[in-house]
Amino acid sequence: MTETPSTEIKSGGFNANLPSGFNQPNDAVGQRILKEYGALFVARGGATPPNTVIFKNESEVSAYQSGLSKSTETLGGFNIELQAAAIKGLKEAIAEAKQNNLTITPRGADSGKRTYSGTVELWASRVNPGLSHWVGKGKLTESEASRIRALSPFEQVPEIFKLESNGMFFSKDLSKSIVYSVAPPGTSQHLSMLALDVNEHDNAKVRDVLAKHGWFQTVVSDLPHFTFLGVSENQLSGLGLKKVSDGGRSFWLPSL
Ligand SMILES: [Zn+2]
């Protein structure tokens, strides 16, 4: 079943522009994910965002992805499959970039679409070394680390957030929250097929061209990561998004 993407921008801010039937999270983890990654849920321009903040397993992800209108493009040697509207905006951006002797290429094979198991693997790739690191630093006991390792990836999320609130961070360089490095299992914007990790993210001209074609930065300090929102920059505040400036860049987050 393909849902009809909404095109209209309603007054009433972020909550008014969420997909119909959106499951508002009522737990702390869900609410944090909505705040950090939530811009995606008000995507327009033919995009179909999910109506849940956390997919619980592979079958929920496949059910959602199989209902989308998708298209695949070979970019920089990788087959990138995204929602059709997102690919269209991306191809237009690439064409405009080319006229200015710039390129827009994906960072790797998993820079576009991801599966639930892909998000579980990425999560473990930060959590497991992080637990060993903090045990080595004497901040965490081995028995506590073992207890957390034994939990399901989903159950680990609140535990990791709790350790981070005590100064034990789990990003790749262990300096910031894991949410700016990898998404908790089932929450990645890449599951929605509306996100792309871009090699040339450091170039402000490339960021401008992507923005002109509906692609914006929406996860603070995840620098290569862009999200298809399908509108022009002057429409973003109407969708209930606010601009957060960080490190000379603009990120668009839910105004909650
Ligand atoms: Zn990404």
Side-chain angles (χ1 to χ4, degrees), residues 114 190 195-197 222 225:
R114 281 180 203 151
H190 292 280
L196 184 72
D197 297 332
D222 185 348
H225 184 93

Side-chain angles (χ1 to χ4, degrees), residues 136-166:
K137 289 277 174 196
K139 293 240 186 183
L140 188 67
T141 64
E142 181 52 49
S143 69
E144 184 63 358
S146 302
R147 184 186 68 77
I148 295 171
R149 278 193 199 97
L151 298 172
S152 72
F154 189 71
E155 292 167 330
Q156 286 176 344
V157 179
E159 300 280 351
I160 297 302
F161 285 0
K162 200 168 129 200
L163 295 179
E164 291 192 330
S165 71
N166 291 316

Side-chain angles (χ1 to χ4, degrees), residues 49-75:
N51 65 4
T52 187
V53 170
I54 304 178
F55 290 105
K56 290 192 189 69
N57 50 48
E58 199 77 77
S59 66
E60 283 192 12
V61 172
S62 330
Y64 162 73
Q65 289 181 344
S66 67
L68 298 170
S69 166
K70 298 176 280 276
S71 106
T72 303
E73 197 64 26
T74 304
L75 301 171

Side-chain angles (χ1 to χ4, degrees), residues 28 40 65 87 111 117 136 152 155 157 178 181 186 188 195-197 205 228 232 237 239 249:
L40 166 97
Q65 289 181 344
I87 285 281
S111 287
S117 58
S152 72
E155 292 167 330
V157 179
I178 192 167
S181 187
S188 172
L196 184 72
D197 297 332
K205 284 184 193 154
F228 182 72
S232 56
S237 61
L239 285 170
R249 299 199 191 189

